[in-house]
Amino acid sequence: MTRSSVKKCLGKGLVFLAVFLLVASLSTGQAAERVITIGAPLPLTGPLSPEGQKQAQGYDLWAETANKAGGVKVATEHYKVKIVYNDYQSNTPRAVQLAEKLITEDKVNFTFSPFGSGATKAASGVSEKYGMPTIAATASSEEVYNQGYKYLFGTFTPNPTLTEPLSDIVKEKVPAVKKVAILARNDLFPLAIAQCMDASAKKRGFNVVFFEKYAIGTMDHASALTQIRGAQPEWIFATGYINDLILIRKQMGDLKVSAPVVTMIAGPAYKEFVDAAGPLAENITSASWWHPAVRYKGEDVFGSTENYNKLFREKYGIIPDYAQASASVAGCLFQIAIEKAGTLDRKKVRDTLASMNVMTFWGPVRFGETGQIISLKPPVFQIQKGTQVVIFPPEIAQANLLVGVK
Amino acid sequence: MLYLQILVNGIVLGGLYACIAVGFSLVWGVLNVINILHGTFIVIGSYTAYFAYIKLGIHPLLSIPIAAAILFLLAYAFQSGMINKVVAAPVLTTLTLTFGLDLFVNNLLIVAFKADYRKVILEHPLGVLTLAGITIPEDKLAAMGLALLLTGLLFWVLDASRVGRAIVAVRMDREAAALMGVKVKKIYALTFAIGGVMAGAAGSLISLIYPISPLNSLPFLGKAFVICVLGGLGSVPGAMLGGLTLGVLESFGALAFGPEHAVTLSFITLILFLLFRPTGIMGKRGYE
């Protein structure tokens, strides 16, 4: 090579190097805009999409509120929060795959669980494997938390905390109730809570005359409902997710199945259920882990239940239900834990969550040995004149139980 | 009393099932094409009825002709454009083609409409009929009645019209039919289109009763399969009988073994029939 051509090469090489260094410094410059990413695999489409969308609304409101208030404080720096969504189309195996992808490929700092006890349990193996602190906003069954995992935390109290107060109320207020019929979706949470209901009912001397499961995806409940009608129970307890319960309630109407007390979990807490069921929703009872009528003042970024309700209504135009509130508080709990720990180190954040004892807009938060929350008092409510009203606990009760579901 | 109600539930369900299956049976029996798109066609029919109701206020029962027309054009296009190219090929080839097309169309529906459940909630819902202590929801009764009507209409078309006889002729002997002046490719396309029409009509009826989502296409297809094997392929009365049998079987099966095993029972029946009576209850294959 000639001298001039070597010079040309060197020259080009230097220019290239300079450009490369500039670009590299710009990219690290972007990374210097500090962001905490939280992975959220959700059923944004598919039969569970109503529930998935609610979780997303809850996360988004928290992220937006936290960022507006300056972000999450980690030691002396402020970090913005970004939720990374992946849609698993209501397909549980895909939820597990995406949970792993979020950790290994998207390299998120923390994760939220998918929707529901079933998918949460399935994906929890992944987060435990990678030592990834995960908060489950929608998993209540004790079976989810019985694997000895250290990195999973849940904001719902165990299922008996719903069925026990319900059974007490019915036993006390509706002495005519002797026979109970239970129809459960063959899925982790709906079946688990049905089994808890069975236990709670038997404990109080009720006669469980019917207890059957229906397959996921069942669209015709005529046979089961006909059998229930034949058994003439005074209390019908149906479990499933919102789409199942709307269908069951409609088909109950078709077959003229009625009872003094009809309880459905989990669906009547949502406005969508009341809208879809119309007059058939009247007097249906249910229980959940939170209700907008509770009044707590918390350390979280929302400050109080009233403020949470207000901000939610401003953003979405509707009153929040427990699904959105639980998702928001999951975000708040990560924020509180990170700020208390003063670091993004996963083990330290995990330890902070495990020993946490705080008041939030959701209620008092303290996790038990298994990672499931143990400090809440879930409300029981009934749909009266098209609105959900709280009937328990007495401190926040808005009405009394009405008997008779046509 | 309980058993009578269960029987009535089964018959009413069976009428609907028959409507789901008859188009599928026709296409399989005549063209020897297993149309995996059938479930998706039904879903398209349901969406047509749904959007016709919420955007134009047309009652789902009245949008049957609209859904039928849309599916006719769609199915005709698929058949003459693509499936006709492989229609003489082994059945697995056509199955693969329709499977691929179904993946494409179904996912297109998910992108367009999302996989969420839609429900046609009528402003003036149809009521409930009570006869001698037996309750029958009027929407299911209407669906069953129309299913019988459409099936009867199809049977009449095949029996009495020129086109119908041509379809039967092509099934019996393709070469001989061609020699008789029948335009075989056109008949194939027409048959597939009629299958689409039946699927669209069924979809319109179903929108009244079940939720609508692209994810429901596979369960419908599964039912169609079982009914065709039960009733006998390519036979319109067979589809009717198969549908009724399946409806009653599932109804009583849920009573005997619990609702969660109703689907398992139908597939066990399918396997038993395939093993011991593959020609189905009617015992014949093809059209007479």
Side-chain angles (χ1 to χ4, degrees):
Chain A
M1 277 171 96
T2 61
R3 230 187 204 176
S4 59
S5 62
V6 168
K7 268 194 188 162
K8 270 195 190 147
C9 268
L10 270 173
K12 278 193 189 153
L14 277 170
V15 170
F16 180 80
L17 189 64
V19 170
F20 177 78
L21 283 171
L22 185 68
V23 170
S25 69
L26 276 174
S27 348
T28 46
Q30 272 160 18
E33 202 253 326
R34 290 169 262 269
V35 181
I36 301 175
T37 50
I38 309 190
L42 282 179
L44 294 171
T45 59
L48 296 173
S49 67
E51 285 89 346
Q53 298 282 0
K54 284 175 190 289
Q55 252 177 282
Q57 283 176 328
Y59 297 147
D60 284 341
L61 182 63
W62 165 68
E64 191 185 280
T65 311
N67 287 340
K68 250 195 213 150
V72 176
K73 191 156 176 287
V74 184
T76 53
E77 322 229 289
H78 280 88
Y79 281 65
K80 290 275 180 245
V81 153
K82 182 165 176 279
I83 319 268
V84 180
Y85 290 108
N86 272 188
D87 176 13
Y88 63 84
Q89 301 177 351
S90 306
N91 179 319
T92 300
R94 209 169 290 165
V96 181
Q97 287 171 337
L98 288 174
E100 183 146 25
K101 170 191 163 289
L102 283 162
I103 299 173
T104 56
E105 287 178 31
D106 300 274
K107 303 221 191 295
V108 294
N109 297 97
F110 302 102
T111 51
F112 292 123
S113 284
F115 168 77
S117 297
T120 299
K121 181 165 188 169
S124 62
V126 167
S127 48
E128 189 72 10
K129 182 167 90 175
Y130 291 101
M132 171 63 85
T134 303
I135 300 186
T138 48
S140 64
S141 309
E142 285 161 302
E143 291 85 336
V144 177
Y145 305 95
N146 66 359
Q147 301 176 96
Y149 287 169
K150 297 278 167 243
Y151 281 83
L152 181 67
F153 298 92
T155 54
F156 281 177
T157 46
N159 293 330
T161 61
L162 267 63
T163 58
E164 288 284 296
L166 256 168
S167 305
D168 278 335
I169 292 169
V170 171
K171 179 97 184 152
E172 193 199 317
K173 306 266 194 229
V174 198
V177 171
K178 303 269 183 292
K179 303 197 288 281
V180 181
I182 304 175
L183 181 64
R185 173 180 159 122
N186 199 0
D187 201 346
L188 184 55
F189 162 71
L191 186 56
I193 198 162
Q195 285 162 341
C196 289
M197 187 67 236
D198 185 56
S200 299
K202 287 188 170 131
K203 207 161 97 178
R204 285 161 183 78
F206 293 133
N207 182 10
V208 179
V209 292
F210 178 91
F211 187 168
E212 291 290 350
K213 307 176 271 230
Y214 61 90
I216 297 171
T218 301
M219 295 201 289
D220 200 87
H221 299 277
S223 214
L225 291 171
T226 305
Q227 291 173 62
I228 290 177
R229 193 179 72 182
Q232 295 185 313
E234 291 92 21
W235 188 5
I236 299 175
F237 188 80
T239 70
Y241 293 113
I242 188 173
N243 285 318
D244 306 301
L245 296 177
I246 293 172
L247 210 57
I248 289 174
R249 185 64 191 100
K250 181 188 174 291
Q251 292 180 359
M252 274 174 70
D254 287 346
L255 287 164
K256 294 213 168 131
V257 180
S258 62
V261 184
V262 174
T263 306
M264 293 189 155
I265 297 184
Y270 307 143
K271 186 172 174 303
E272 291 84 342
F273 178 86
V274 179
D275 289 342
L280 290 172
E282 211 51 25
N283 288 355
I284 303 247
T285 37
S286 187
S288 66
W289 293 269
W290 181 88
H291 190 279
V294 304
R295 290 287 174 267
Y296 294 110
K297 283 205 172 355
E299 285 177 42
D300 53 270
V301 73
F302 295 103
S304 69
T305 315
E306 283 136 310
N307 194 34
Y308 178 75
N309 293 344
K310 172 170 163 288
L311 290 175
F312 193 94
R313 205 184 332 214
E314 273 167 21
K315 186 169 166 74
Y316 296 111
I318 46 169
I319 305 173
D321 58 52
Y322 71 89
Q324 295 121 337
S326 182
S328 294
V329 85
C332 293
L333 291 171
F334 267 133
Q335 180 168 10
I336 296 172
I338 294 167
E339 289 178 350
K340 274 208 165 96
T343 169
L344 290 175
D345 176 76
R346 291 182 191 166
K347 177 89 184 28
K348 295 213 169 81
V349 170
R350 180 259 152 209
D351 290 339
T352 313
L353 280 167
S355 58
M356 197 177 277
N357 192 352
V358 288
M359 185 55 87
T360 65
F361 80 87
W362 168 261
V365 177
R366 205 173 74 247
F367 297 111
E369 281 276 309
T370 60
Q372 190 168 17
I373 195 172
I374 49 174
S375 45
L376 284 183
K377 207 179 198 182
V380 174
F381 62 90
Q382 182 172 42
I383 298 174
Q384 294 179 0
K385 293 207 177 58
T387 330
Q388 295 96 343
V389 292
V390 178
I391 57 174
F392 174 90
E395 302 89 78
I396 53 164
Q398 300 164 313
N400 284 320
L401 176 72
L402 292 177
V403 177
V405 177
K406 309 261 172 289
Chain B
M1 186 52 103
L2 173 71
Y3 296 123
L4 195 57
Q5 177 74 65
I6 301 269
L7 181 68
V8 169
N9 290 346
I11 292 174
V12 169
L13 188 64
L16 201 61
Y17 279 171
C19 202
I20 289 174
V22 75
F24 184 72
S25 175
L26 178 71
V27 168
W28 194 352
V30 173
L31 279 88
N32 205 29
V33 168
I34 299 176
N35 181 20
I36 306 290
L37 277 160
H38 190 76
T40 304
F41 282 167
I42 295 176
V43 171
I44 294 175
S46 294
Y47 272 118
T48 310
Y50 174 78
F51 285 116
Y53 185 67
I54 59 168
K55 302 266 191 243
L56 303 167
I58 303 174
H59 196 282
L61 292 177
L62 297 172
S63 45
I64 292 173
I66 307 174
I70 293 177
L71 263 313
F72 182 89
L73 293 168
L74 197 66
Y76 198 94
F78 272 136
Q79 173 68 22
S80 45
M82 282 177 271
I83 303 173
N84 253 344
K85 300 201 193 312
V86 296
V87 78
V91 74
L92 275 179
T93 309
T94 47
L95 182 133
T96 312
L97 175 60
T98 57
F99 179 69
L101 285 171
D102 183 58
L103 276 178
F104 176 68
V105 176
N106 200 283
N107 279 289
L108 208 65
L109 288 177
I110 294 180
V111 168
F113 304 126
K114 307 264 223 73
D116 311 335
Y117 277 8
R118 316 286 178 113
K119 196 105 191 32
V120 169
I121 302 171
L122 293 176
E123 263 204 48
H124 304 287
L126 299 166
V128 174
L129 211 63
T130 316
L131 283 165
I134 305 293
T135 38
I136 311 172
E138 280 178 19
D139 52 15
K140 275 199 181 151
L141 198 62
M144 185 192 151
L146 275 153
L148 286 170
L149 188 68
L150 287 165
T151 315
L153 204 67
L154 178 67
F155 188 70
W156 178 79
V157 162
L158 288 172
D159 199 46
S161 70
R162 250 180 95 80
V163 153
R165 299 318 293 164
I167 292 174
V168 175
V170 164
R171 174 66 193 98
M172 286 173 93
D173 193 328
R174 204 180 55 186
E175 276 90 14
L179 286 171
M180 292 287 127
V182 172
K183 292 195 173 58
V184 173
K185 284 241 153 99
K186 207 166 170 201
I187 290 298
Y188 276 164
L190 209 61
T191 312
F192 198 76
I194 293 175
V197 160
M198 297 303 292
S204 232
L205 289 170
I206 281 168
S207 71
L208 274 177
I209 300 164
Y210 295 135
I212 306 163
S213 164
L215 301 173
N216 286 344
S217 68
L218 280 179
F220 290 144
L221 185 69
K223 296 272 186 250
F225 253 112
V226 177
I227 294 165
C228 281
V229 172
L230 280 184
L233 263 189
S235 159
V236 173
M240 198 68 229
L241 205 61
L244 287 169
T245 308
L246 186 65
V248 172
L249 204 67
E250 280 187 356
S251 225
F252 279 103
L255 180 66
F257 304 112
E260 78 266 32
H261 297 306
V263 174
T264 321
L265 189 67
S266 52
F267 280 101
I268 290 177
T269 313
L270 170 74
I271 292 170
L272 288 172
F273 262 79
L274 283 171
L275 284 173
F276 298 113
R277 198 179 162 87
T279 46
I281 300 174
M282 294 298 277
K284 44 187 181 218
R285 198 170 180 277
Y287 282 84
E288 302 280 288

